[in-house]
Amino acid sequence: MEGNRKLISPFHRPRCLAAAAPGGKAKLTHPGKAILAGGIAGGIEICITFPTEYVKTQLQLDEKANPPKYRGIGDCVKQTVQGHGVRGLYRGLSSLLYGSIPKSAVRFGVFEYLSNHARDEAGKLNSTRGLLCGLGAGVMEAVVIVCPMETVKVKFIHDQSSANPKYRGFYHGVREIIRTQGIKGTYQGLTATVLKQGSNQAIRFYVMTSLRNWYKGDNPNKAINPVVTGTFGAVAGAASVFGNTPLDVIKTRMQGLESHKYKSTLDCALKIMRHEGVRAFYKGTVPRLGRVCLDVAIVFIIYEEVVKVLNTVWKTE
């Protein structure tokens, strides 16, 4: 019996592993590679998609309480180009670009760090753990990068729509905000931002993890075509838009130049509901849907491809 156990045991385990994962144990992505690849992906993505972000923010700030300035997406683009030229659609890009690179770097770095510790023996990450890792990544990026970055961006865009713009550029704007409001002035709407980013990344990574696991089946190392990655990313982006657009609207209001009208995140939500109705929570959904689907698809494609390149020049195993 003892001899049989010694003979059977060594051959028994490889057979089980082969059945569970024909491609062997899933390869893990080093957090350092994730940070670098994420930063590159974030920088390229925001340069491509910023005009739709600009339009979305303008429509959300165009409150019904005042006579609406814009009649829709097309009118917003038309008025902006007529008043400021095509470059007007890129006003505020610098503030978002300075934050987009570290935001994406933090997001992917934290996600890979957490997911590397959450995988099973075969290196597989299930959907629930993918959701939790995405939540952790979203909360971290919200606190460290997104809240101050988004506050400055919204103030810049809102400032442009005023009769006498007071910010001459990124550094001047940041300096003026801190001078007049202190560091707290760059952290307006923190609660709404944490809720938005946390739910955003939780939904996106849950969908991406689910679709990847479905596509790879029993082979965790099965290659995924960039087109497939982009399609999965677009689906994940759409899911996050419909899941948390109300939080995005609240966050934008809390970070605008008229944020003083609201005592808290809850007060902002209640006032929007009372004065503008439920539909106001979905203002800017269409331009946001187009931007986010493209955004998430581009980011995941570039991220995955950059990681592949880094794996050939940066050996971490």
Side-chain angles (χ1 to χ4, degrees):
M1 289 294 290
E2 183 68 27
N4 288 339
R5 276 198 296 271
K6 289 181 179 178
L7 288 173
I8 293 173
S9 181
F11 294 100
H12 179 63
R13 288 184 63 190
R15 259 201 308 274
C16 289
L17 286 175
K25 185 174 181 179
K27 296 178 181 178
L28 306 182
T29 299
H30 189 278
K33 293 179 182 177
I35 291 172
L36 183 57
I40 293 172
I44 295 174
E45 171 272 321
I46 200 60
C47 289
I48 296 172
T49 63
F50 184 79
T52 55
E53 171 70 10
Y54 175 90
V55 172
K56 179 214 72 170
T57 304
Q58 285 283 39
L59 290 175
Q60 288 181 347
L61 292 173
D62 189 29
E63 299 181 26
K64 286 185 178 179
N66 307 314
K69 181 179 179 181
Y70 306 114
R71 294 191 299 273
I73 299 170
D75 186 52
C76 179
V77 173
K78 180 181 177 181
Q79 287 193 42
T80 300
V81 173
Q82 286 179 341
H84 305 279
V86 175
R87 291 181 62 183
L89 294 172
Y90 285 89
R91 285 289 297 270
L93 173 62
S94 59
S95 62
L96 201 57
L97 185 62
Y98 294 150
S100 184
I101 293 174
K103 175 182 75 171
S104 193
V106 169
R107 176 193 308 161
F108 283 101
V110 172
F111 178 80
E112 294 295 355
Y113 174 81
L114 294 176
S115 65
N116 286 350
H117 290 80
R119 297 176 185 272
D120 60 21
E121 293 81 359
K124 185 175 181 179
L125 182 71
N126 65 37
S127 301
T128 302
R129 291 186 177 186
L131 182 148
L132 293 175
C133 292
L135 177 63
V139 170
M140 182 62 74
E141 71 171 309
V143 175
V144 177
I145 305 294
V146 178
C147 190
M149 177 194 75
E150 289 281 299
T151 300
V152 171
K153 181 208 71 173
V154 172
K155 287 182 185 295
F156 268 32
I157 294 177
H158 204 172
D159 179 61
Q160 183 203 340
S161 64
S162 63
N164 299 300
K166 58 184 179 181
Y167 301 144
R168 297 194 298 270
F170 176 75
Y171 292 109
H172 177 257
V174 172
R175 191 165 62 246
E176 284 298 298
I177 292 170
I178 294 177
R179 184 181 66 81
T180 58
Q181 302 173 38
I183 294 295
K184 186 180 179 181
T186 63
Y187 268 92
Q188 292 175 334
L190 178 61
T191 302
T193 304
V194 168
L195 289 173
K196 182 217 168 188
Q197 292 304 124
S199 61
N200 240 352
Q201 302 313 322
I203 293 171
R204 291 177 190 176
F205 280 107
Y206 172 81
V207 173
M208 284 299 294
T209 301
S210 299
L211 292 175
R212 280 172 173 165
N213 288 342
W214 166 77
Y215 183 83
K216 292 183 176 183
D218 292 330
N219 182 1
N221 291 315
K222 180 179 179 180
I224 301 181
N225 185 286
V227 175
V228 176
T229 298
T231 301
F232 289 172
V235 173
S240 68
V241 168
F242 289 113
N244 73 359
T245 288
L247 288 173
D248 187 54
V249 171
I250 294 170
K251 175 192 70 67
T252 300
R253 296 288 182 87
M254 290 290 292
Q255 292 171 335
L257 294 180
E258 297 183 357
S259 59
H260 61 274
K261 296 195 306 185
Y262 310 115
K263 298 175 184 177
S264 64
T265 300
L266 178 60
D267 180 58
C268 179
L270 292 174
K271 284 183 176 177
I272 293 174
M273 174 69 78
R274 185 181 308 120
H275 299 298
E276 303 173 49
V278 176
R279 292 182 62 183
F281 286 109
Y282 287 90
K283 207 171 186 181
T285 297
V286 174
R288 186 180 180 226
L289 181 64
R291 181 192 68 82
V292 170
C293 288
L294 184 62
D295 166 358
V296 181
I298 291 173
V299 166
F300 274 107
I301 289 173
I302 297 175
Y303 173 76
E304 295 292 345
E305 294 307 302
V306 172
V307 167
K308 290 177 185 176
V309 173
L310 291 176
N311 284 338
T312 64
V313 299
W314 181 1
K315 302 298 181 183
T316 55
E317 297 180 355

